[in-house]
Amino acid sequence: MSTISRAEVAHLAHLARLEVTEEELDAFAGQLDVILESMKTLSEVDTDGVPPTSQAVPLVNVFREDQPQPSLQRDDVLAGAPDSAEDRFRVPQILSEEE
Amino acid sequence: MTERIIDKTAAALAEDIREGRLTSVEVTRAFLDRIAAVDGEIKAFTTVDAEGALAQAAEVDAKLKAGEELSPLAGVPIAVKDLFVTKGLRTTASSKMLEEWIPPYDGTIVERVRAAGLPILGKTNLDEFAMGSSTEYSAFGATKNPWDTDRIPGGSGGGSSAAVAAKMAPLALGTDTGGSIRQPGAVTGTFGGKPTYGSNSRYGVIAFSSSLDTPGPVTRTVLDGALLNEVISGHDPKDSTSIPQDVRPVADAAREGSGGDLSGVTLGVVKEFAEGSAQGAEPGVIEAYQAGVEQLVKLGATVKEISAPHFAYALPTYYLIAPSEASSNLARYDSVRYGLRVGDDGDNSLEQVMSKTREAGFGPEVKRRIILGTYALSAGYIDQFYGQAQKVRTLIKRDFEAAFAEVDALVSPTTPFIAFPFGSRTADPYQMYLSDLYTIPSNLYGGPAVSVPAGLSEGMPVGLQVMGPVMRDEVCYRVAAALESTQSPILAETAPEAEEA
Amino acid sequence: MTALNKYETAVKDYEPVLGLETHVELGTNTKMFCGCTTVFGAEPNTQTCPVCLGLPGALPVANKTAIESTILIGLALNCRIAEWTRFARKNYFYPDMPKNFQTSQYEEPLCEDGYVEVSVDGKPYRVEIERVHLEEDTGKSLHVGGSTGRIHGATESLLDYNRAGIPLVEIVTKPVPGAGALAPEVARAYVTELRDILRSLNVSDVRMEQGSMRCDVNLSLNKPGEEWGTRTETKNVNSLRSVERSVRYEIRRQSALLDKGEKIHQETRHFQEATGETSPGRSKETATDYRYFPEPDLAVMEPSREWVESLRERLPELPSKRRARLQEEWGLSEKEMDSVNNAGALDLIGATVSAGAAPQSAVKWWLGELSRRANEAGLELDAMSVTPAQVAELQGMVDEGRLNDKLARQVIDGVLAGEGGPAEVASARGLEVVSDTGALEKAVDEAIAANAEVAEKIRGGAHQAAGVLIGQVMKATKGQADAKAVRELIIAKLS
């Protein structure tokens, strides 16, 4: 029995924009336990006062000067698009999620 | 039997071309012929670019004829993992999502490879978006191990390692997030080098896990790996995580190591790995690895046991960080600007089209990791999951630093088991994840690590891993080249001769 | 739809709490994380590259000037500048966002804890700033097939990513209680002050109508002595006037609901420019889960104190300081100065004074005649087609006696109609004061002759009766005489 419910997986799938199947919901619910196990294991580790790491050599203040560089040619920009119109990327109706 | 072009090392081919004994076109054609002959069976390539490769080769030949000074590998062709963005050359990440994507730009490493005069033979297969350890998760079908075509060639970079092992390319590019260069190297009897994170640019490498992804060389010999790494490494202002320093020369270290003298070098073996090996490492692998260590001792190295208590947490740490970053990195595949679009029938909303596209375009392992990562990052869990994992990384890093205060490098098996048969580990993701047990710590730390052939188990290659301190990649190359000097005859004699069709 | 309460009743019964989130596009040469240019109005998708299109493999590198501009803004808003700060990914799917995450800042903004002081009707208010952070802008969608060009009812949308990745600074206030009935004016004064500060820093062109400055207005109501109420967030507030109107509207709407015992929903609303109303946004997901995490593709930032201090030295004279100085120089009261400021006339008056006009005259023109005309035309004062130099020139002609007030207003007609500068208009339209003494004397003599009785009174010392004769003379000269000179002439002749 998995710890994470199908409903929870369905919510995650929606957040990730994956139209998962019923079978996938079951499978993922079980496999998500891997991450819960990982969490449980890691929560045993005392990390009080330990800073996080994401780089071998931590870099700070990596900036770029405000100098223009050439953009891509618009034809190249749109060449890979599934659909375009009027020099823009065309998409089907946006049902408002953010409005 | 006279040595064929495809049998030669990249270093030897480069010299032949430089000295005028061979042209780049001849060399490139030889490898293209080999691809035509054996890749129908091995399936290492997703795309072969014969025309492009020959054109680049002709260009190099013209330049050499004109007396131009070119790079040490000029004229030697290369295979490129299909995770590197190549301008005008289809780049798929072995995903249906990008099945027809022709990029409008070159990544930095590809730019450097082109500038150095290395003709690009084509793009090699991988686990979709580099997520996997067997190439079984490629949307275009698995690549086969040239040593035994019923077995996996490792992953995610199984295409590159198989291409090199089957002599379809003298050089290849790979990327290593949790072992994707080293583990395929180990199971195909080739060399794989994961450089220090930040020493090789990620610009133009399709992202899997940003804080772990590291591009590097896949070759038959240590010296070839070193020469290739020198072509591609170095600071890149387009990558904010690129270290603004030069990596120490690794080719010289490889040459020094191949002399076979390791006196004065102290190597550490990780106590916790030995303990962990009881759970999963195959006896044959341990045996070959231990034989390798004995060889290193014979060459003068001192061996010392090292405790790295937090290595035990490496796997869970990795399986929090990598999917978290991946879930965000892969959000861009949404059917809007490039790639696949499914369900745009006039009725579906964009959100439905996005969801259908992502459902159809991503394979099971990618979806699984996206869901895992979405969960790990979702509200209220960030500190528990991602945050805690990045802190445990620090503890793993400290274990490495403590070790390197005592030893010059750490050695271990590269992977707990030899190449496994297709389908034997796909049912249980955790069994697959175990492939990377020994390789993951270096990704979390960020230091260099290489895999070099160390003998056979059940007739299949075993790799020995050398892990070095951050920005001290040369240590790994020296030790690996020393071991290679004792091993390569064995490998050369037993290496597979893929049947030409 | 609930009927609205009267504003006066609403603010008697409830106390409003304001909150403002302002987005400002920086005026850098290039985008936040790539070298694409940022020119407004370029052809669609011509200012894009692998980075700002979110192509596979592309990576960001932060624009140093954008970081500096943000620190400058923080300093100007009296903020603490972080010693350690970083970018974070805000994950959500939207097609105008190429990576489906926005590179933004989460727990560690560049600047925190500042304030802005504004003054309304001579009363000071301190608006506390919670944070100033840096992020990237999104692309633009063109909605096709709907009746209104809006997202609802559209059958498809077209995307242009030229704007995607332009550096965007978000300035968030802490809740602002205590403004009472003046809440709409305080909101407007704050946004005006912010705009002026940003303009003085020269970090953005702050054009609300072009979207380079955009405002979200939060508002809640509570009964005196009770806890703060539930707030709404009104988006799409794209002019100073709209800021004021949206606050006023929400106060009236929310108070009506509360009076009926209804609850206010925490929601996003949209301001409708045409009607001055706010309408609810459609939200499918109740709680958005942005899954913030530190951006692994960018290095952390540790702005050194030396760097911050060198930026502080670059701060120009800020509007509040400048205002205090000008108020003194121009001899205006607090209230007059507030009027000048809230009309957006400060720079215009300043430039008019610099061009030679006396401060009082400059104030009189801009707050009087020109404000009236701007209102009639529905324009902001600085959008009028008359320059401060022209106003100064006009006043000069008045001072020299070449124009009287009435003629000067006619000259303005001509200037606003695009007929040229004041001198040109005056001469083209023949609008000079009659200074030909002969002609004037003749007109005065005629007026005296025609009004013997009045002339007699004046001779007897009743100088106030001269008005009748002045009127006659002005009529005869078609208003082109200088009334003062005429008066003097009449009295001289009848003494």
Side-chain angles (χ1 to χ4, degrees):
Chain A
M1 192 56 203
S2 58
T3 333
I4 298 179
S5 71
R6 297 175 90 243
E8 221 172 326
V9 178
H11 171 68
L12 294 173
H14 176 70
L15 277 180
R17 296 294 180 273
L18 286 172
E19 198 183 82
V20 288
T21 61
E22 293 296 309
E23 297 76 52
E24 281 175 317
L25 278 184
D26 288 327
F28 291 147
Q31 289 161 353
L32 271 168
D33 284 348
V34 172
I35 207 145
L36 284 179
E37 281 304 311
S38 300
M39 184 202 77
K40 225 191 284 167
T41 315
L42 287 195
S43 64
E44 294 163 4
V45 185
D46 180 6
T47 54
D48 271 2
V50 176
T53 288
S54 62
Q55 286 174 285
V57 177
L59 302 174
V60 292
N61 298 340
V62 178
F63 302 131
R64 173 178 65 76
E65 295 300 321
D66 187 23
Q67 302 290 340
Q69 301 294 325
S71 294
L72 291 172
Q73 292 297 312
R74 184 165 61 200
D75 289 350
D76 291 339
V77 169
L78 294 172
D83 198 1
S84 65
E86 296 173 39
D87 301 325
R88 295 169 172 90
F89 296 87
R90 194 203 74 86
V91 296
Q93 53 175 325
I94 303 170
L95 279 190
S96 170
E97 301 145 50
E98 254 299 294
E99 303 288 312
Chain B
M1 186 171 116
T2 52
E3 198 182 21
R4 298 170 301 177
I5 286 176
I6 58 166
D7 293 327
K8 296 187 180 207
T9 66
L13 290 169
E15 197 184 310
D16 285 347
I17 293 168
R18 206 165 37 241
E19 307 283 325
R21 291 189 290 270
L22 285 171
T23 65
S24 177
V25 167
E26 284 170 319
V27 171
T28 302
R29 186 163 283 140
F31 284 101
L32 287 169
D33 289 347
R34 174 71 171 176
I35 292 168
V38 305
D39 202 43
E41 169 74 4
I42 303 293
K43 296 190 167 65
F45 285 83
T46 52
T47 306
V48 176
D49 184 22
E51 204 181 312
L54 288 170
Q56 290 168 62
E59 219 173 282
V60 174
D61 287 335
K63 283 181 183 169
L64 283 171
K65 218 171 172 187
E68 269 187 54
E69 187 83 13
L70 293 176
S71 86
L73 285 176
V76 181
I78 188 167
V80 176
K81 188 181 188 181
D82 208 4
L83 200 63
F84 287 80
V85 174
T86 45
K87 188 175 179 177
L89 183 58
R90 188 173 78 127
T91 300
T92 69
S94 285
S95 177
K96 274 189 222 162
M97 193 59 95
L98 291 176
E99 193 164 1
E100 286 161 40
W101 188 51
I102 312 274
Y105 80 106
D106 270 335
T108 297
I109 284 184
V110 169
E111 249 175 22
R112 288 182 182 173
V113 159
R114 289 193 205 272
L118 279 59
I120 293 173
L121 295 165
K123 307 295 286 292
T124 58
N125 201 18
L126 61 144
D127 286 294
E128 184 178 3
F129 286 100
M131 298 177 189
S133 307
S134 65
T135 75
E136 288 167 292
Y137 294 127
S138 165
F140 309 129
T143 298
K144 292 174 181 171
N145 192 321
W147 290 72
D148 177 351
T149 52
D150 291 331
R151 292 176 184 265
I152 60 107
S156 65
S160 279
S161 64
V164 170
K167 298 179 179 172
M168 290 187 276
L171 302 166
L173 289 176
T175 65
D176 193 314
T177 304
S180 286
I181 287 176
R182 289 162 287 161
Q183 183 259 3
V187 302
T188 58
T190 54
F191 171 81
K194 181 202 95 72
T196 297
Y197 176 91
S199 67
N200 282 8
S201 171
R202 292 184 297 117
Y203 188 82
V205 178
I206 296 181
F208 161 18
S209 178
S210 308
S211 74
L212 300 166
D213 296 344
T214 317
V218 176
T219 55
R220 281 220 307 284
T221 69
V222 180
L223 178 62
D224 286 356
L227 290 168
L228 179 53
N229 199 56
E230 288 187 357
V231 166
I232 63 178
S233 73
H235 180 240
D236 177 15
K238 288 180 183 165
D239 176 355
S240 300
T241 61
S242 167
I243 300 169
Q245 294 167 34
D246 287 330
V247 191
R248 299 203 202 171
V250 286
D252 283 351
R255 288 190 189 98
E256 187 193 346
S258 64
D261 180 9
L262 286 181
S263 48
V265 174
T266 313
L267 300 173
V269 295
V270 179
K271 190 173 124 225
E272 286 76 8
F273 274 167
E275 287 164 2
S277 71
Q279 304 165 356
E282 295 169 349
V285 168
I286 296 294
E287 218 170 277
Y289 153 71
Q290 277 167 351
V293 174
E294 275 161 32
Q295 292 287 353
L296 293 172
V297 172
K298 272 189 205 154
L299 298 177
T302 314
V303 173
K304 208 170 162 181
E305 190 178 67
I306 287 292
S307 175
H310 297 97
F311 280 23
Y313 300 104
L315 211 54
T317 300
Y318 178 83
Y319 280 100
L320 284 174
I321 293 171
S324 296
E325 294 180 0
S327 70
S328 175
N329 283 332
L330 270 63
R332 66 188 61 196
Y333 305 102
D334 63 358
S335 83
V336 176
R337 291 157 303 278
Y338 43 80
L340 187 69
R341 178 179 291 184
V342 170
D344 185 7
D345 58 4
D347 289 332
N348 287 322
S349 71
L350 176 63
E351 187 187 318
Q352 288 168 312
V353 169
M354 275 188 189
S355 302
K356 285 176 191 297
T357 301
R358 291 167 62 79
E359 176 66 11
F362 290 138
E365 182 63 18
V366 171
K367 277 187 241 180
R368 178 157 46 237
R369 298 212 201 182
I370 288 175
I371 296 270
L372 286 178
T374 305
Y375 179 64
L377 291 178
S378 63
Y381 295 122
I382 169 80
D383 289 339
Q384 263 173 299
F385 291 138
Y386 190 80
Q388 175 74 354
Q390 294 284 49
K391 287 178 182 175
V392 176
R393 265 186 100 162
T394 305
L395 298 174
I396 291 170
K397 188 177 172 185
R398 288 178 184 168
D399 282 355
F400 270 107
E401 284 163 355
F404 292 132
E406 294 186 48
V407 299
D408 298 302
L410 296 172
V411 291
S412 76
T414 305
T415 179
F417 23 81
I418 57 164
F420 45 85
F422 287 111
S424 61
R425 287 180 189 264
T426 38
D428 180 357
Y430 189 71
Q431 285 303 309
M432 189 73 85
Y433 297 167
L434 279 177
S435 304
D436 300 328
L437 193 65
Y438 302 132
T439 45
I440 280 174
S442 284
N443 293 91
L444 294 172
Y445 162 51
V450 305
S451 175
V452 62
L456 302 173
S457 164
E458 302 170 40
M460 294 296 290
V462 171
L464 182 140
Q465 176 178 230
V466 188
M467 295 169 274
V470 162
M471 289 306 271
R472 297 287 308 279
D473 299 51
E474 80 282 2
V475 176
C476 300
Y477 280 86
R478 183 180 167 197
V479 175
L483 183 66
E484 183 185 52
S485 71
T486 70
Q487 298 287 318
S488 41
I490 303 172
L491 279 172
E493 281 155 28
T494 47
E497 185 52 51
E499 266 176 59
E500 301 210 355
Chain C
M1 189 107 193
T2 317
L4 300 180
N5 275 354
K6 273 195 163 162
Y7 183 74
E8 291 70 23
T9 328
V11 291
K12 216 173 277 164
D13 297 342
Y14 297 96
E15 292 175 345
V17 178
L18 279 170
L20 291 130
E21 286 177 26
T22 312
H23 284 95
V24 182
E25 264 185 10
L26 295 179
T28 46
N29 296 325
T30 66
K31 292 187 179 181
M32 185 61 229
F33 297 114
C34 66
C36 285
T37 50
T38 57
V39 181
F40 182 78
E43 286 284 297
N45 294 306
T46 53
Q47 295 178 153
T48 58
C49 74
V51 178
C52 59
L53 287 170
L55 293 192
L59 294 173
V61 186
N63 182 336
K64 187 178 183 187
T65 302
I67 309 284
E68 290 187 332
S69 297
T70 309
I71 295 176
L72 277 172
I73 292 170
L75 291 171
L77 302 182
N78 307 292
C79 289
R80 184 159 39 80
I81 310 303
E83 296 190 18
W84 191 93
T85 173
R86 61 182 168 184
F87 287 102
R89 292 188 184 179
K90 180 181 183 181
N91 293 286
Y92 65 99
F93 282 80
Y94 211 71
D96 61 11
M97 212 167 45
K99 298 166 290 180
N100 287 316
F101 62 78
Q102 183 185 31
T103 308
S104 180
Q105 296 196 277
Y106 185 46
E107 283 168 331
E108 303 96 355
L110 251 171
C111 323
E112 277 181 291
D113 293 333
Y115 60 88
V116 171
E117 276 168 344
V118 297
S119 176
V120 173
D121 259 4
K123 258 194 256 169
Y125 289 88
R126 175 183 276 219
V127 177
E128 306 270 352
I129 303 292
E130 185 173 302
R131 57 189 278 150
V132 176
H133 79 240
L134 187 52
E135 58 189 27
E136 55 183 343
D137 209 346
T138 58
K140 272 187 184 165
S141 322
L142 191 69
H143 305 298
V144 185
S147 50
T148 55
R150 294 190 48 227
I151 190 162
H152 301 296
T155 53
E156 56 182 27
S157 298
L158 301 175
L159 291 147
D160 167 15
Y161 293 102
N162 280 349
R163 197 181 67 181
I166 290 184
L168 197 62
V169 168
E170 183 173 323
I171 301 161
V172 185
T173 69
K174 290 181 183 163
V176 187
L182 285 176
E185 287 82 2
V186 169
R188 179 183 176 137
Y190 162 74
V191 179
T192 308
E193 180 70 5
L194 195 56
R195 185 195 61 179
D196 293 349
I197 290 171
L198 294 169
R199 194 173 280 165
S200 76
L201 296 175
N202 203 20
V203 294
S204 167
D205 62 3
V206 281
R207 303 288 289 255
M208 291 189 86
E209 73 283 4
Q210 286 186 358
S212 60
M213 178 164 174
R214 314 194 276 273
C215 231
D216 300 340
V217 180
N218 295 329
L219 190 103
S220 70
L221 295 180
N222 59 276
K223 283 246 162 85
E226 291 184 0
E227 276 182 28
W228 291 351
T230 306
R231 65 190 168 87
T232 59
E233 181 180 7
T234 304
K235 290 187 180 279
N236 207 24
V237 188
N238 292 332
S239 72
L240 294 172
R241 199 166 149 256
S242 301
V243 170
E244 194 175 327
R245 287 168 84 204
S246 69
V247 173
R248 200 172 292 273
Y249 183 87
E250 273 300 286
I251 289 176
R252 296 178 62 197
R253 187 187 70 85
Q254 290 187 18
S255 65
L257 286 173
L258 292 170
D259 278 354
K260 288 201 301 184
E262 288 181 29
K263 281 201 166 118
I264 306 297
H265 297 291
Q266 180 156 0
E267 63 180 355
T268 299
R269 299 182 67 85
H270 287 262
F271 184 69
Q272 310 298 339
E273 194 76 44
T275 58
E277 296 173 356
T278 68
S279 57
R282 227 168 80 181
S283 81
K284 276 175 73 181
E285 276 172 55
T286 41
T288 316
D289 183 351
Y290 290 124
R291 289 160 284 137
Y292 279 101
F293 75 104
E295 167 57 276
D297 285 329
L298 291 164
V300 301
M301 295 172 278
E302 292 176 359
S304 73
R305 296 305 97 177
E306 294 74 32
W307 190 23
V308 171
E309 287 317 305
S310 76
L311 288 168
R312 197 190 299 278
E313 278 166 28
R314 263 169 52 186
L315 284 179
E317 181 185 38
L318 292 173
S320 57
K321 279 239 174 77
R322 174 158 170 258
R323 248 181 352 252
R325 173 172 62 78
L326 292 178
Q327 187 187 336
E328 198 178 311
E329 280 176 23
W330 296 349
L332 300 181
S333 70
E334 290 281 344
K335 240 178 150 148
E336 282 171 321
M337 199 60 188
D338 282 356
S339 307
V340 165
N341 199 44
N342 294 332
L346 191 80
D347 288 340
L348 296 166
I349 293 170
T352 309
V353 171
S354 301
Q360 286 293 349
S361 319
V363 171
K364 187 192 76 186
W365 278 116
W366 286 107
L367 289 196
E369 188 64 20
L370 292 168
S371 282
R372 193 175 60 74
R373 287 170 188 250
N375 264 335
E376 281 169 12
L379 290 173
E380 296 284 341
L381 212 44
D382 60 3
M384 301 277 286
S385 51
V386 56
T387 65
Q390 289 169 334
V391 174
E393 185 185 341
L394 188 70
Q395 182 59 37
M397 291 168 75
V398 172
D399 291 344
E400 286 166 18
R402 291 164 62 199
L403 291 176
N404 57 27
D405 283 356
K406 188 180 164 206
L407 288 172
R409 284 197 291 274
Q410 289 177 32
V411 169
I412 285 179
D413 289 338
V415 174
L416 291 176
E419 292 167 20
E424 260 175 286
V425 172
S427 91
R429 289 195 176 191
L431 294 175
E432 294 273 337
V433 166
V434 176
S435 50
D436 176 342
T437 334
L440 206 55
E441 277 192 40
K442 187 168 164 263
V444 168
D445 289 343
E446 279 170 13
I448 292 172
N451 296 280
E453 257 176 63
V454 180
E456 216 35 57
K457 278 186 193 163
I458 297 167
R459 259 194 209 99
H463 287 184
Q464 70 277 13
V468 178
L469 296 185
I470 295 168
Q472 296 267 326
V473 173
M474 295 307 279
K475 209 168 169 186
T477 56
K478 295 187 186 104
Q480 299 190 11
D482 178 357
K484 207 171 139 207
V486 173
R487 181 188 169 87
E488 279 165 12
L489 196 59
I490 291 169
I491 292 170
K493 282 190 183 261
L494 298 176
S495 300

